Amino acid sequence: MAATLKDVALAAGVSIKTVSNVINDYEHIRADTKQRVMDAIADLGYSPNLSARSLRSGRTGVIGLAVPELSLSYFAELADSTIKAAERRGLKVLIEQTGGDRSRELEILSSPRLQMTDGLLFSPLGMSNEDADHLNVNFPLVLLGERIFGGPTDHVTMSNVDSARAATEHLISRGRRRIAVVGGHEGEVIGSAGLRLRGYRQALDAAGIPFDPDLVAYTTLWHRANGATSMRELLASGVGFDALFGMNDTLALGAMRVLQEAGLRIPDDVAVIGFDDLDEGRYSLPTLSTIDPGRDEIADTAVRVLQERISGRVGGVPPREFEARFQVIERESSALARSH
């Protein structure tokens, strides 16, 4: 049997009226009380009557999340984190896929389906800084990702430059000097690939290691197959390297497969680090060192900030920038090489 408002109230130790006030995002509710209600909603799997709620408050209790594609593990895990963060606040999430196509992304911003939501979390891939004016919309919107900076909306992102520098510095600290990169985008400056390549080069410069453009493998999509193809091309080129920075975990995992097929040992011959801290990296052979970019923090911050805009509590506050904290996670793929 589905949980009721009364069930939530009993679990949280509050009145039904208090639960209703929390669901409708009324102000002047104590933070600890609100958290107890949110926890009870999440634990019981309570789903508010959205139609009745919309009639009373003009809100649906649903937020949108638009991402390029859920077949990319990062966006699938980001969606999962977002759903959990929304549930803690008594919200539901409607997910849209854009395919990373600019025209589809622009279409999402004017889609009639937005009438079903109170606001949108938007992660574009095809749009660029030149499209920032398109973000001037008449509904609450929070921007995710690295395609547009300085736009007219709140923006939650990750520390791409510093975290990529930290990943490269980690490999350097393990004695590696010829560090290849998989995942570059030709000519990109703004965007995940361009920013991470900048961090990589900063680490090399700080260590006095000359930048070798032959060590950068460029790709289009960041799928496992692209990582495998790029690694085959690097090996065929004959360029020597003793480490690899995959610009995401999926690329790194594809590249690792090809390295092992070629008879190279990881990390003895080639140390490897990825980016994103995907769950599958914990179970690869060897396990994959990576950057945890703060995905859960990104999701929680984005939902919180969007809810603030929906409620009007920060009306008049100019657009804000939020950057998640990152962490280097060392696993087997970049551990100190074993003695022979």
Side-chain angles (χ1 to χ4, degrees):
M1 182 182 296
T4 66
L5 207 66
K6 183 178 179 180
D7 295 330
V8 174
L10 287 172
V14 299
S15 68
I16 292 176
K17 178 62 174 176
T18 297
V19 175
S20 178
N21 287 343
V22 170
I23 290 173
N24 287 286
D25 203 25
Y26 289 174
E27 297 184 16
H28 313 304
I29 299 175
R30 288 175 50 180
D32 60 336
T33 300
K34 185 174 184 179
Q35 189 60 54
R36 289 206 315 276
V37 173
M38 288 178 177
D39 290 342
I41 287 171
D43 291 342
L44 296 173
Y46 173 69
S47 179
N49 184 324
L50 298 181
S51 297
R53 177 176 172 179
S54 180
L55 288 172
R56 288 194 309 271
S57 67
R59 299 178 193 159
T60 65
V62 177
I63 60 173
L65 171 65
V67 296
E69 55 179 311
L70 292 173
S71 62
L72 283 172
S73 297
Y74 172 78
F75 291 112
E77 294 192 17
L78 175 65
D80 180 69
S81 295
T82 301
I83 290 169
K84 290 175 180 175
E87 285 178 344
R88 289 194 295 271
R89 293 170 171 83
L91 300 171
K92 299 296 183 182
V93 181
L94 176 66
I95 298 176
E96 295 269 8
Q97 290 191 107
T98 65
D101 178 72
R102 178 179 178 273
S103 62
R104 176 71 177 134
E105 290 168 353
L106 293 174
E107 179 186 330
I108 287 289
L109 294 175
S110 59
S111 170
R113 285 189 296 277
L114 287 173
Q115 296 176 12
M116 301 166 57
T117 67
D118 298 326
L120 177 66
L121 303 177
F122 184 50
S123 180
L125 191 59
M127 293 171 64
S128 66
N129 247 58
E130 287 69 33
D131 294 308
D133 286 346
H134 290 286
L135 301 179
N136 278 308
V137 292
N138 61 357
F139 56 86
L141 185 149
V142 173
L143 182 68
L144 305 175
E146 291 73 49
R147 299 303 300 173
I148 299 173
F149 287 86
T153 68
D154 293 325
H155 184 196
V156 183
T157 185
M158 60 182 68
S159 181
N160 279 278
V161 176
D162 290 344
S163 54
R165 176 171 178 161
T168 310
E169 289 173 341
H170 171 72
L171 296 172
I172 294 170
S173 75
R174 295 296 178 259
R176 310 302 170 130
R177 305 281 294 181
R178 297 281 296 168
I179 302 172
V181 178
V182 169
H185 290 167
E186 291 276 8
E188 182 175 285
V189 177
I190 299 299
S192 298
L195 296 172
R196 291 176 197 180
L197 187 62
R198 186 191 309 172
Y200 162 80
R201 295 194 63 168
Q202 287 181 1
L204 296 183
D205 290 343
I209 300 174
F211 170 69
D212 184 350
D214 291 337
L215 289 173
V216 180
Y218 293 95
T219 63
T220 51
L221 300 174
W222 281 3
H223 293 164
R224 188 179 281 101
N226 300 83
T229 298
S230 293
M231 180 49 61
R232 291 190 185 99
E233 292 171 351
L234 272 174
L235 292 173
S237 74
V239 62
F241 57 94
D242 57 11
L244 172 68
F245 171 32
M247 287 196 178
N248 76 351
D249 284 353
T250 307
L251 288 168
L253 290 167
M256 281 172 56
R257 172 62 185 254
V258 172
L259 286 169
Q260 291 169 325
E261 288 176 347
L264 293 168
R265 298 164 302 170
I266 303 171
D268 300 65
D269 300 319
V270 181
V272 179
I273 191 168
F275 195 112
D276 282 341
D277 190 25
L278 300 181
D279 186 63
E280 58 193 298
R282 298 175 174 86
Y283 302 98
S284 60
L285 287 174
T287 53
L288 179 62
S289 297
T290 188
I291 295 292
D292 173 3
R295 182 174 51 252
D296 288 343
E297 181 184 347
I298 290 170
D300 191 72
T301 301
V303 173
R304 172 179 60 80
V305 169
L306 184 62
Q307 192 175 45
E308 289 174 352
R309 292 296 184 185
I310 292 168
S311 69
R313 290 197 299 268
V314 291
V317 175
R320 299 165 293 175
E321 291 276 345
F322 301 87
E323 187 174 87
R325 294 160 293 184
F326 69 88
Q327 180 182 2
V328 178
I329 298 177
E330 181 183 62
R331 299 194 181 105
E332 296 167 345
S333 69
S334 68
L336 286 171
R338 299 181 295 273
S339 58
H340 299 283

